Amino acid sequence: RMGQELLSQRERLKSAEQIAAWQDVARALAHELKNPLTAMKLSLARLNRTDASTPHDTTRITEAVALLQEEVDLLMRMTQSFSTFARLPAPRFQDVPLRPLLAEVCTLYAGTSPVPVELRPGAETTLRADPDGLRRLFGNLVKNATEASSASAAPVHVTLESTQPGTVSVTVADGGS
């Protein structure tokens, strides 16, 4: 049962990482497309206001402008769809026991990495936060630490400390160069 749960958690983590990667792509693409599309739209509006010398040219210019306007509008809608997709779901703030969450992340990566991942003994603390966001955050840090370490390196150590009342410190240390 625990093995099945571990496999299920790995799949969820893998899926979350893939979605995050696609969201980054969508966010970058939307950003890159918005500026030239806005400039094109403004230029088309100017072109539409220009007077042509003959009625034949006026009709042709008007038709061309209308066609370009439709295409720009389509690209703007696509860009908006990418921007909407790139937004993460709204955080769900709740009390999160941090040590069990870190233990889950360490267990996930300990089984998939040639480098051991260990959660050091320490404080038991609860944090008001979004548990999914914290999983992504610590998962990325542990993943980066395991990737930075060679197979013969020291284990990746995750340490949780409560340094002052209301303050928590999480350290992810690896033996990589």
Side-chain angles (χ1 to χ4, degrees), residues 34-49:
K34 277 184 184 177
N35 293 335
L37 287 173
T38 300
M40 288 170 60
K41 197 166 187 167
L42 292 173
S43 295
L44 287 171
R46 258 183 271 138
L47 180 60
N48 203 23
R49 284 192 306 264

Side-chain angles (χ1 to χ4, degrees), residues 113-124:
S113 166
V115 180
V117 179
E118 300 172 357
L119 177 60
R120 294 263 171 109
E124 294 284 342

Side-chain angles (χ1 to χ4, degrees), residues 64-158:
V65 168
L67 180 62
L68 287 170
Q69 187 68 48
E70 286 177 33
E71 292 301 315
V72 168
D73 289 342
L74 172 65
L75 290 171
M76 291 295 277
R77 284 192 303 274
M78 289 173 52
T79 302
Q80 185 58 44
S81 294
F82 276 117
S83 290
T84 301
F85 174 71
R87 286 188 204 110
L88 290 172
R92 302 175 341 225
F93 289 97
Q94 60 191 55
D95 290 335
V96 179
L98 201 49
R99 180 162 287 288
L101 185 138
L102 290 171
E104 180 182 309
V105 170
C106 289
T107 301
L108 283 172
Y109 281 97
T112 61
S113 166
V115 180
V117 179
E118 300 172 357
L119 177 60
R120 294 263 171 109
E124 294 284 342
T125 186
T126 299
L127 185 65
R128 184 108 182 124
D130 175 35
D132 295 335
L134 287 177
R135 271 188 202 85
R136 283 192 304 272
L137 168 79
F138 293 122
N140 284 333
L141 290 173
V142 171
K143 178 179 181 236
N144 291 345
T146 60
E147 289 174 351
S149 302
S150 66
S152 61
V156 170
H157 288 115
V158 178

Side-chain angles (χ1 to χ4, degrees), residues 51-63:
D51 292 328
S53 57
T54 66
H56 177 68
D57 286 343
T58 302
T59 303
R60 192 176 64 208
I61 289 172
T62 303
E63 287 172 355

